[in-house]
C-alpha cells in the first residue's frame, strides 16, 4: 500500500501535537482541578462557618432577649412587653410555663403577615412543644402550621421552668445563600429548619427529600463524634456529587441551657461538584477547541509545507516510473538548493546516461525484459525473418560524413516501417537490417506475422522512393529477403555484452535469399514457406529456384498488394512514417504500382539486357545461381 510522504508528515506531526496537547490538557486539568477542588472546599468551609456563626448568633440573641424578658415576669409591665416586641419584631410569640404558664403575642407580627394568633394554640395542641412530659430542648420548623410563613419554634430551659419562642427565620436564611453554595440549618434527624428556598421550608422537607441523601448514619456519626466541623463529599442516588461542610452550633457565648439546644443543631453547606469544576471545564473546553484549531492550522500548514517536499519527489517518482517504462524524455526543472534539487540533478544525469545507453539497444526488447515477458534462456518461435540492405551504398558518395548521414536517414525511415507493422529490429550492421515478426510481438498467428513482414518490405519500397526523390541521383536501391519457419530466440553474448537475438536455419536462409534479389532484377525475394502464408494477399511471381545444400529452394518475388484492406493498412501506416510522401507511395503500391515483374523491373530501372547479363554472370557450372561476389570452387 502506498503512503505519500505528505500524509506521513501530516500524520506524524499531528500525532505528536495531539499527544503533547493532550498530555498538557490532562496535566493542567489534573493539577488545576486539584487546586480548584481544594479552594472550593476551603471556600465552602468558610461559608459554612459564617452561616453557622450567623445561626448561632441569631439563636443566642433570641434566647438572651427571651431570658431578659423572663426576669420581669413577677411584675410585668405592659410597656416592657411592648418594648420587647418593638426591639425584636421577628419574634411572633413567647411562652413560659411549668409553675404558671404565661404567653405573650406580638400582635403586630401577625397583622403584618396576615395570619391569625390562634395558630399558636393550634401548633401547641398538635405538637409536643408545650407538653410538660417532653421538656427537652428542641428547635423545629413551624412553617407548615403558619400558612408557609418561615417560622421556627424553639424551646429551652428558663428560670421559670421552660420557655418557648416562635420567631421568623427570614433574616437567618437571607445569609444562607452565597452563589452556588447553599447552607441549610437542620437537626440531627435531617429535618430542614432553615433554607434559602422558602418552598423547602413550607413543605417541611427532610434532607433525604431535599438532596436524596440519607441523614443517617452520616449526621448521627458526626453528632456522636463530638467534632465541631467536618468536610466530606456525598453522592446522591442520581449520581450527583456534592462538596459538603457540616458545623455544629455550639453553646459558645450562650447560657449553659442553650448549649443543649445547639448540640443537635447543625449547619450544612453544600455545593455541587459539577459547579466547582464548571469554570475549569469551560477553560478546558476552550483549550481543547484552541488545541484543535492549532492542529487544524498545523495540518493546513504541513499540507502546504509537505508539498514543497512531496511535490518534487512525486515528479521524480513519476519520472522514474516513466524511465522504468522505457521513456527517457525526462523534463524536470528543480532549482531548489536542498536535497530534492541535488536528487533531481542526479536522476536527470542518470536518465540522460541511460538514454544514451538505451540508444544502443532495442527499446522494445529492453521493455519486455523489464516486464519479464521474454525468456532469456531460449524459446522456439514460429516467425518470419527479414533481411535488407542497400546495394553498394558506399558507391553513392565519397564523403564519409555524407555516407553516414545517408545511412542514418535510410535506417530511420526503414526502422519506422518495421515498428509500424509490429516488427522488431534485431540488428543493424552498416546498411543491413535484420528484423523479425512473431518473436517479441505477434499479430496472433504466423500468417498475419508474415503478412506484416511483407507489408514492411513494400512500405520500404515507398519510403526508399521518397528518399531518392529527396536526394536526387544517384538512385538508392534495396534488396530484401524473407523466410518463415521455426527459430530459436534467446539472450546471447558474454558477461560484458548480451543481445536478444534469433538463430536457426530459417534465419540463415532469409539472409541467403536476400542476396538473389539483385541478380533476379527485383527488390523483394521470399521463400516457399513465406509464400504459402501470404499468397492470397499479395501479387507474387515465382523466380528460378536455387540449390542450397543439395536442396532445391523455390523463390518468389512480391510485386504488389492484392487485397485493398491490406493496402489501406499500408497507407495508414505510411502516414505515420517519417519523411514519406503518400503521393509518391501511390505510384509504387496499389493500382498505381507494378502489376507484374516486367513493370516492377521497369519501375526499378532494371532493363532486360542488364537482367540477362546479370544472370549469365552469376550462374555457376552446376546451374546454380550465386550471389554477387560468391566464390566458385
Amino acid at each position: 500500500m502506498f503512503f505519500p510522504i505528505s500524509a506521513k508528515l501530516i500524520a506524524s506531526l499531528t500525532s505528536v501535537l495531539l499527544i503533547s496537547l493532550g498530555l498538557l490538557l490532562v496535566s493542567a486539568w489534573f493539577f488545576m482541578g486539584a487546586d480548584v477542588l481544594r479552594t472550593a472546599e476551603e471556600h465552602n468551609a468558610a461559608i459554612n462557618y459564617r452561616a453557622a456563626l450567623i445561626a448561632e448568633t441569631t439563636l443566642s440573641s433570641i434566647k438572651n432577649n427571651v431570658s431578659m424578658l423572663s426576669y420581669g415576669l413577677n411584675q410585668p409591665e405592659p410597656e416592657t412587653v411592648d418594648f420587647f416586641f418593638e426591639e425584636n419584631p421577628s419574634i411572633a410569640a413567647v411562652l413560659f410555663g411549668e409553675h404558671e404558664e404565661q404567653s405573650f403575642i406580638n400582635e403586630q407580627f401577625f397583622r403584618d403577615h396576615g395570619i391569625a394568633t390562634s395558630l399558636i394554640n393550634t401548633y401547641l395542641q398538635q405538637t409536643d412543644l408545650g407538653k410538660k412530659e417532653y421538656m427537652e430542648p428542641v428547635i423545629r420548623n413551624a412553617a407548615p402550621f403558619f400558612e408557609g410563613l418561615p417560622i421556627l419554634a424553639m424551646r429551652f430551659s428558663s428560670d421559670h421552668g421552660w420557655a418557648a419562642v416562635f420567631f421568623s427565620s427570614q433574616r437567618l436564611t437571607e445569609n444562607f445563600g452565597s452563589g452556588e453554595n447553599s447552607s441549610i440549618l437542620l437537626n440531627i434527624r435531617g429535618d430542614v429548619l432553615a433554607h434559602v428556598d422558602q418552598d423547602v421550608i413550607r413543605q417541611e422537607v427532610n434532607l433525604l427529600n431535599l438532596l436524596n441523601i440519607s441523614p443517617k448514619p452520616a449526621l448521627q456519626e458526626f453528632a456522636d463524634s463530638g467534632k465541631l466541623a467536618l468536610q466530606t463529599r456525598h453522592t446522591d442516588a442520581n449520581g450527583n456529587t456534592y462538596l459538603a461542610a457540616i458545623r455544629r452550633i455550639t453553646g459558645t457565648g450562650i447560657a449553659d441551657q442553650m448549649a443543649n439546644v445547639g448540640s443537635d443543631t447543625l449547619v450544612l453547606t453544600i455545593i455541587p461538584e459539577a459547579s466547582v469544576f464548571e469554570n475549569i471545564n469551560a477553560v478546558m473546553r476552550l483549550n481543547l477547541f484552541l488545541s484543535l484549531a492549532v492542529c487544524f492550522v498545523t495540518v493546513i500548514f504541513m499540507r502546504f509545507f509537505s508539498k514543497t517536499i512531496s511535490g518534487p519527489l512525486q515528479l521524480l517518482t513519476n519520472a522514474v516510473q516513466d524511465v522504468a517504462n522505457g521513456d527517457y524524455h525526462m523534463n524536470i526543472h528543480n532549482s531548489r538548493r536542498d536535497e530534492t534539487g541535488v536528487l533531481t540533478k542526479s536522476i536527470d544525469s542518470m536518465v540522460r546516461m541511460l538514454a544514451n545507453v538505451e540508444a544502443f539497444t532495442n527499446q522494445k526488447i529492453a521493455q519486455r525484459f523489464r516486464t519479464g515477458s521474454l525468456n532469456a534462456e531460449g524459446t522456439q518461435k514460429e516467425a518470419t525473418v527479414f533481411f535488407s540492405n542497400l546495394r553498394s551504398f558506399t558507391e553513392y558518395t565519397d564523403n564519409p560524413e555524407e555516407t553516414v548521414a545517408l545511412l542514418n536517414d535510410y535506417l530511420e525511415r526503414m526502422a519506422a516501417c518495421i515498428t509500424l507493422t509490429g516488427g522488431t529490429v534485431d540488428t543493424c550492421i552498416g546498411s543491413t537490417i535484420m528484423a523479425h515478426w512473431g518473436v517479441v510481438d505477434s499479430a496472433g498467428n504466423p500468417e498475419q506475422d508474415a503478412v506484416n513482414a511483407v507489408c514492411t518490405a513494400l512500405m520500404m519500397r515507398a519510403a526508399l522512393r521518397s528518399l531518392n526523390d529527396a536526394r536526387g541521383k544517384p538512385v538508392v536501391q534495396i534488396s530484401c529477403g524473407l523466410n518463415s519457419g521455426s527459430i530459436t530466440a534467446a539472450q546471447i553474448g558474454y558477461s560484458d555484452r548480451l543481445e536478444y537475438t534469433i538463430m536457426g536455419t530459417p534465419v540463415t536462409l532469409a539472409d541467403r535469399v536476400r542476396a538473389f534479389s539483385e541478380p533476379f532484377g527485383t527488390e523483394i525475394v521470399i521463400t516457399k514457406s513465406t509464400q504459402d502464408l501470404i499468397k492470397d494477399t499479395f501479387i507474387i511471381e515465382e523466380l528460378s529456384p536455387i540449390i542450397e545444400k543439395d536442396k532445391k529452394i523455390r523463390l518468389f518475388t512480391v510485386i504488389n498488394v492484392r487485397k485493398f484492406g491490406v493496402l489501406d493498412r499500408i497507407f495508414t501506416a505510411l502516414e505515420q512514417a517519417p519523411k514519406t510522401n503518400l503521393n509518391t507511395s501511390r505510384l509504387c503500391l496499389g493500382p498505381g504500382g507494378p502489376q507484374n515483374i516486367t513493370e516492377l523491373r521497369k519501375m526499378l530501372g532494371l532493363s532486360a539486357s542488364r537482367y540477362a547479363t546479370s544472370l549469365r554472370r552469376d550462374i555457376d557450372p552446376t546451374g546454380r545461381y550465386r550471389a554477387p561476389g560468391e566464390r566458385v570452387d
Side-chain angles (χ1 to χ4, degrees), residues 496-518:
D496 291 337
R497 179 180 176 84
L498 293 172
E499 289 185 354
Y500 186 82
T501 186
I502 58 176
M503 63 199 80
T505 301
V507 179
T508 305
L509 185 57
D511 184 34
R512 178 67 176 161
V513 299
R514 169 193 57 81
F516 285 94
S517 63
E518 183 177 359

Side-chain angles (χ1 to χ4, degrees), residues 249-267:
I249 296 180
T250 65
T252 305
I254 311 176
D256 293 340
Q257 296 88 350
M258 189 58 198
N260 293 329
V261 174
S263 62
D264 292 338
T265 306
L266 312 172
V267 174

